[in-house]
Amino acid sequence: MTINYPNGRKREKSGHPENEHKTQRINFGNRGMSLEFLLNEANEYYRAHHIANIHKKPTPIQIVKVDYPHRTQAKITEAYFQKASTTDYNGIFDGKYIDFEAKETQNKTSFPLSNIHDHQIEHMLDIRRHGGCAFLIIYFKLHDEMLLTPIEVISKAKRLNKKSIGRQDLQTESFEIQRGSYIRADYISALKLYMEVYHE
Amino acid sequence: MTINYPNGRKREKSGHPENEHKTQRINFGNRGMSLEFLLNEANEYYRAHHIANIHKKPTPIQIVKVDYPHRTQAKITEAYFQKASTTDYNGIFDGKYIDFEAKETQNKTSFPLSNIHDHQIEHMLDIRRHGGCAFLIIYFKLHDEMLLTPIEVISKAKRLNKKSIGRQDLQTESFEIQRGSYIRADYISALKLYMEVYHE
């Protein structure tokens, strides 16, 4: 899959790159960019700079029918999306196993818990038992605010039968992901803080 | 996806389970069972018994066309298999990040290196640099022999422009995976040995 960089990486080559980059940020921000795009950008940057090795897992798909129009080519002609049994992202940072799910919301005041499945929470709690890091990255699109939220926070709210978590409560219990110099979702600093607090 | 257990788990309930199990092993072994099946079985067992949390990643697929025959159902009508950018399996064991690729061969005397891609080797060496475990699980089907081979062994052979590694050399440099009481590919003991040798 080819990846385009709508944040204008290519344009950095012309003119006054520093200023232009700054102007672009102010003018365009990352409006309209999906959290998935921003996280893929971050993960690519981290891999290229040997900071971390974290990947998005492929979408699980149930394949029903495959045709072979040419000998060497397989064409899938019937398939369906499957529910993910784990999370979207995993990998390694600072020798530690990292596992997270990314969710964006258009909601202004709270994060609805309906779009995170029980089996995903169970999976992440199991990762914690094995000594790994497990969390959500939540993106409040309308505020351009990104939070790293430990799975314990989500699990607790679910156990209390809450339907959502208020944005202010989330801010208190999460680690904010700042914009980096080159990437928006520069989540490694937040991850380091999380690891200091949640790992002995 | 439902999983059938052709090794006769269900039959263990009747008669003399111990003896029957033994007989079945002798009669059927795991002839015809794919390495993927055996590893999925092992990973399920490890998760259920809180030994490790390791999953097979979904096959990466490029989706071209999706139909919506019903409002709630999405049917993929054109899609293609993509080359995997990483490996088939990853997860956590004993607090450590685990990453491996599984390969089976009908070859009797050697393991051909053609079916392990350079970018997969690069990925696994990068995991090693970050402090994770990275290896191949190689299954010599005709010998019913399963080896856990550190990625360094594969990388070295590739750098020497070898086309294959002889089975005896592999045995020397690998950790043999024994049959467990309940699962064939009981690779955790081999993994522990690997970790003692390859981790400080």
Side-chain angles (χ1 to χ4, degrees):
Chain A
M1 218 185 291
T2 55
I3 293 170
N4 299 309
Y5 291 95
N7 62 349
R9 264 198 198 172
K10 280 174 194 159
R11 290 177 60 191
E12 283 180 28
K13 285 177 188 166
S14 66
H16 306 281
E18 291 274 315
N19 295 340
E20 190 167 289
H21 195 69
K22 210 167 178 180
T23 314
Q24 277 177 24
R25 273 202 222 155
I26 294 161
N27 290 349
F28 302 101
N30 42 285
R31 215 174 295 164
M33 276 191 240
S34 73
L35 180 55
E36 180 177 333
F37 173 87
L38 297 171
L39 289 172
N40 284 347
E41 185 185 58
N43 289 336
E44 266 183 54
Y45 183 87
Y46 296 148
R47 287 198 301 272
H49 294 80
H50 304 293
I51 294 164
N53 189 315
I54 294 167
H55 284 265
K56 183 177 188 300
K57 287 182 216 164
T59 308
I61 284 166
Q62 189 196 6
I63 297 164
V64 177
K65 221 195 274 175
V66 181
D67 279 359
Y68 295 88
H70 306 288
R71 263 188 199 205
T72 53
Q73 195 191 36
K75 181 181 170 181
I76 300 160
T77 55
E78 188 181 348
Y80 300 93
F81 293 100
Q82 281 182 309
K83 245 208 270 185
S85 59
T86 60
T87 47
D88 279 348
Y89 298 86
N90 72 357
I92 186 168
F93 168 65
D94 199 18
K96 286 262 186 287
Y97 177 79
I98 309 297
D99 199 305
F100 65 94
E101 182 72 13
K103 292 286 175 198
E104 60 183 51
T105 179
Q106 298 283 343
N107 204 304
K108 275 187 181 174
T109 54
S110 72
F111 175 69
L113 292 170
S114 54
N115 54 5
I116 169 98
H117 302 295
D118 287 344
H119 65 272
Q120 289 180 312
I121 296 175
E122 284 314 312
H123 167 75
M124 284 189 268
L125 291 176
D126 194 50
I127 295 303
R128 296 287 298 134
R129 273 178 231 120
H130 283 287
C133 305
F135 50 86
L136 254 62
I137 288 182
I138 297 173
Y139 186 25
F140 285 98
K141 283 202 95 163
L142 300 178
H143 299 287
D144 190 23
E145 182 182 57
M146 224 174 262
L147 301 171
L148 187 157
T149 307
I151 189 59
E152 286 85 348
V153 175
I154 305 295
S155 171
K156 187 182 155 204
K158 276 267 192 179
R159 261 162 224 277
L160 297 171
N161 281 320
K162 288 193 185 177
K163 296 276 170 279
S164 64
I165 306 179
R167 184 170 154 235
Q168 283 197 337
D169 291 343
L170 264 186
Q171 286 168 337
T172 310
E173 303 200 81
S174 303
F175 303 88
E176 193 179 347
I177 294 169
Q178 307 287 346
R179 178 187 295 277
S181 307
Y182 298 103
I183 47 176
R184 165 62 186 94
D186 197 2
Y187 65 85
I188 286 293
S189 313
L191 179 54
K192 278 184 195 164
L193 270 177
Y194 159 86
M195 284 166 77
E196 280 171 31
V197 175
Y198 276 75
H199 274 86
E200 306 75 46
Chain B
M1 220 186 288
T2 55
I3 293 171
N4 299 308
Y5 292 94
N7 61 348
R9 263 195 200 174
K10 279 173 196 162
R11 291 175 60 191
E12 283 178 28
K13 286 175 189 169
S14 67
H16 308 282
E18 291 276 313
N19 295 338
E20 191 169 288
H21 195 70
K22 210 165 177 180
T23 314
Q24 276 178 24
R25 273 203 221 155
I26 293 160
N27 289 348
F28 302 101
N30 41 286
R31 215 174 294 161
M33 277 192 241
S34 72
L35 181 55
E36 180 177 334
F37 173 86
L38 297 170
L39 289 173
N40 285 347
E41 186 186 56
N43 289 336
E44 264 183 55
Y45 183 88
Y46 295 148
R47 287 198 300 270
H49 293 79
H50 304 293
I51 295 164
N53 190 315
I54 294 167
H55 284 265
K56 185 178 187 299
K57 287 182 214 165
T59 308
I61 284 166
Q62 189 197 5
I63 298 164
V64 177
K65 221 194 272 175
V66 182
D67 278 359
Y68 294 88
H70 306 289
R71 262 187 199 207
T72 53
Q73 196 192 34
K75 182 180 169 182
I76 299 159
T77 55
E78 188 181 347
Y80 301 92
F81 294 99
Q82 282 181 309
K83 247 209 269 184
S85 60
T86 60
T87 46
D88 278 347
Y89 298 86
N90 73 355
I92 185 167
F93 168 66
D94 199 17
K96 287 262 186 286
Y97 177 80
I98 309 296
D99 199 305
F100 64 95
E101 183 72 13
K103 293 287 175 198
E104 59 184 51
T105 178
Q106 298 284 343
N107 204 305
K108 275 185 182 176
T109 54
S110 71
F111 175 70
L113 292 171
S114 53
N115 54 5
I116 169 97
H117 301 295
D118 287 343
H119 66 271
Q120 290 180 311
I121 296 174
E122 284 314 313
H123 166 75
M124 285 190 268
L125 291 176
D126 195 50
I127 295 301
R128 297 287 297 134
R129 272 177 231 122
H130 284 286
C133 304
F135 49 86
L136 254 61
I137 288 183
I138 298 172
Y139 187 25
F140 285 99
K141 284 202 96 164
L142 301 178
H143 300 286
D144 189 23
E145 182 181 58
M146 225 175 260
L147 302 171
L148 187 156
T149 307
I151 190 59
E152 286 84 348
V153 174
I154 305 295
S155 170
K156 187 182 155 202
K158 275 266 192 178
R159 261 161 226 277
L160 296 171
N161 280 321
K162 287 192 183 177
K163 296 277 170 277
S164 66
I165 307 179
R167 184 169 155 237
Q168 283 198 337
D169 290 344
L170 264 186
Q171 285 168 337
T172 310
E173 304 199 79
S174 302
F175 303 88
E176 192 177 348
I177 295 169
Q178 307 287 347
R179 179 186 295 278
S181 307
Y182 300 102
I183 47 176
R184 165 60 187 95
D186 197 1
Y187 65 85
I188 286 293
S189 313
L191 179 53
K192 277 183 195 164
L193 270 177
Y194 160 86
M195 284 165 76
E196 280 172 28
V197 176
Y198 275 77
H199 274 86
E200 305 76 47

